[in-house]
Amino acid sequence: MSPAVLDRWEERLQDIFYGRPYDMHDAALADTVFKFPLDIKPFKDMIEGMRMDTRKCRYENFQELYLYCYYVAGTVGLMSVPVMGIAPDSLVSAQGVYNAALYLGIGNQLTNILRDVGEDASRGRVYLPQDELAQFGLRDNDVFSGKVTDRWREFMKEQITRARFYFNLAAVGASQLDKASRWPGWSSLLLYRMILDSIESNDYDNLTKRAYVGRTKKLLMLPLAYTRSLSRHSLILN
């Protein structure tokens, strides 16, 4: 996507928040902005994440990668909370719920990255911290080679552990959403964690295989997500 297109998107976004939608698609968002207390910043930050993809395909460290994950996915969590709502009797502060939504977005994007390593490599992109690859004696060429080695497995274990850490942070606020929103929130959280399980089941081969969760497993996960949504206390996921 060209910088000019993204600039135009940002102009239209500003118009939406001023109540001046350009077309029917913009009108739908303008209506949402009118009905819910949405902040424009996460929307603008998401566009900035798209700009990053036009000029950057390597990340020197996790700090850089975290910023990218915030722009393209953490923002979605921040956009969603005003629409999903916070329970009046929430056991954590509103800021705590927003933080949890942010962390869910970070965990989801880290999982997307780990799932899509092979596909991204085929496009010449490596969304993995370069310094951490080096700590395990790995380089871009090892990613492009498509060979799963013991070094790669150990590296992947660390990356999966980090993604699960963010899901645990997200769990703190998942049950503090408005009652109608808790089940969808938990479903998203558990589904993405299952993708990490699938990577492990593939013996950490995300270079030539794309981890996925089958329909049956998704359906079987829903009752668990519903049960989790009934608890108002923070849950640490195993």
Side-chain angles (χ1 to χ4, degrees):
M1 189 170 295
S2 72
V5 170
L6 294 175
D7 289 344
R8 176 56 183 148
W9 277 15
E10 190 161 11
E11 291 172 5
R12 286 173 59 175
L13 176 66
Q14 194 74 54
D15 286 340
I16 287 169
F17 273 79
Y18 285 143
R20 300 194 299 262
Y22 174 76
D23 57 19
M24 292 302 296
H25 299 291
D26 289 3
L29 180 54
D31 181 64
T32 304
V33 169
F34 177 76
K35 291 178 178 177
F36 300 97
L38 288 161
D39 186 347
I40 195 173
K41 186 176 188 302
F43 292 87
K44 296 181 73 171
D45 285 347
M46 176 176 276
I47 294 174
E48 183 59 30
M50 296 177 188
R51 288 194 179 101
M52 286 180 71
D53 262 333
T54 67
R55 60 177 185 259
K56 191 176 180 69
C57 60
R58 296 291 189 282
Y59 294 85
E60 290 301 318
N61 50 52
F62 182 66
Q63 287 75 19
E64 286 189 7
L65 186 62
Y66 180 93
L67 185 60
Y68 172 75
C69 290
Y70 160 72
Y71 279 137
V72 300
T75 51
V76 176
L78 298 182
M79 295 172 193
S80 301
V81 172
V83 178
M84 300 180 80
I86 300 174
D89 58 344
S90 173
L91 302 178
V92 301
S93 67
Q95 186 60 55
V97 176
Y98 273 91
N99 288 342
L102 168 63
Y103 295 140
L104 178 58
I106 298 295
N108 285 355
Q109 186 59 28
L110 290 174
T111 301
N112 284 338
I113 288 170
L114 299 181
R115 178 194 61 195
D116 298 339
V117 169
E119 292 182 16
D120 289 332
S122 69
R123 301 182 182 95
R125 293 179 172 272
V126 179
Y127 291 93
L128 299 168
Q130 294 287 310
D131 60 345
E132 295 179 20
L133 282 169
Q135 289 172 14
F136 287 85
L138 299 167
R139 298 182 298 174
D140 285 355
N141 286 341
D142 295 293
V143 179
F144 297 141
S145 73
K147 295 180 180 179
V148 179
T149 63
D150 287 341
R151 289 179 179 179
W152 179 256
R153 292 185 184 93
E154 293 304 311
F155 170 75
M156 281 305 304
K157 289 176 184 178
E158 293 291 325
Q159 303 304 307
I160 289 173
T161 295
R162 173 185 283 146
R164 286 186 174 137
F165 168 75
Y166 282 100
F167 286 132
N168 278 328
L169 293 179
V172 172
S175 292
Q176 310 309 318
L177 295 170
D178 186 74
K179 186 176 181 180
S181 301
R182 294 172 204 158
W183 191 10
W186 271 105
S187 296
S188 172
L189 196 160
L190 295 179
L191 173 60
Y192 266 81
R193 278 182 54 91
M194 290 171 70
I195 295 173
L196 299 176
D197 297 341
S198 181
I199 295 173
E200 291 174 331
S201 297
N202 289 338
D203 194 27
Y204 303 98
D205 183 1
N206 50 355
L207 299 173
T208 66
K209 297 178 181 179
R210 191 176 193 270
Y212 71 96
V213 180
R215 180 176 298 180
T216 300
K217 286 187 177 181
K218 289 178 182 177
L219 291 174
L220 291 174
M221 174 273 296
L222 292 176
L224 175 60
Y226 181 73
T227 301
R228 291 287 177 92
S229 73
L230 297 179
S231 173
R232 302 305 309 283
H233 297 281
S234 302
L235 297 170
I236 299 299
L237 306 177
N238 295 320

